[in-house]
Amino acid sequence: MVHPRTGAMYVIAKTTTGTSSLYRFPNPLPAPGTVSTLIEVGQITLPLLNGDTNSVAITAAAVHPAGDRFLVRTYRAVYEFRGTDGSVESAIVGTRVALTDTVEGQGESIEYALDGSAYYTLSEKTAAPYTLKRVDRR
């Protein structure tokens, strides 16, 4: 994920345990070819649905254009983490809201619309046609 206002870059570890670590790249980034250590800024905990580990394996994430929330998707669910101060760090400990899932096989992508009014998902299935799905936010 890339924060749209600060440019901070984040990575979420994909696990099947229900708890994934969220890391931030150092800023400024080191010179090319330099080894760098990511900074752990928190953990994301998701509910295990019907004993299915695919319901907690985060496959994609995106920061809202306002920077105060972010989406995560798994193979079975979509969640939005809402913060209070315009940072990913406040959103990770803020409110987790379950959103409409687009029920795609091999769901591997998610992104907000530019104005934040919707989000899009796309499956990584093996054969065309590939359908971009839009979910309007209420």
Side-chain angles (χ1 to χ4, degrees):
M1 299 186 299
V2 177
H3 195 284
R5 299 198 189 283
T6 66
M9 295 184 296
Y10 299 87
V11 174
I12 301 172
K14 181 179 181 180
T15 69
T16 57
T17 65
T19 301
S20 297
S21 294
L22 173 71
Y23 299 93
R24 184 180 66 239
F25 282 80
N27 189 6
L29 290 173
T34 303
V35 174
S36 181
T37 301
L38 302 181
I39 303 155
E40 185 173 7
V41 296
Q43 294 188 331
I44 296 172
T45 301
L46 299 177
L48 185 65
L49 305 175
N50 301 316
D52 182 359
T53 57
N54 281 326
S55 68
V56 295
I58 297 173
T59 59
V63 180
H64 188 274
D68 62 344
R69 58 190 63 198
F70 65 91
L71 295 169
V72 296
R73 83 164 298 167
T74 72
Y75 293 119
R76 306 283 186 257
V78 173
Y79 298 97
E80 186 173 60
F81 287 78
R82 299 175 181 171
T84 57
D85 69 359
S87 73
V88 168
E89 287 79 0
S90 76
I92 197 171
V93 296
T95 304
R96 181 188 71 216
V97 178
L99 300 179
T100 302
D101 183 20
T102 53
V103 190
E104 299 166 310
Q106 193 89 21
E108 299 275 358
S109 62
I110 195 161
E111 185 59 79
Y112 283 101
L114 287 176
D115 65 0
S117 65
Y119 58 91
Y120 296 92
T121 65
L122 186 65
S123 173
E124 190 185 89
K125 61 184 181 178
T126 57
Y130 303 102
T131 304
L132 182 66
K133 295 185 178 181
R134 176 186 169 109
V135 178
D136 291 317
R137 299 182 67 235
R138 297 186 182 104

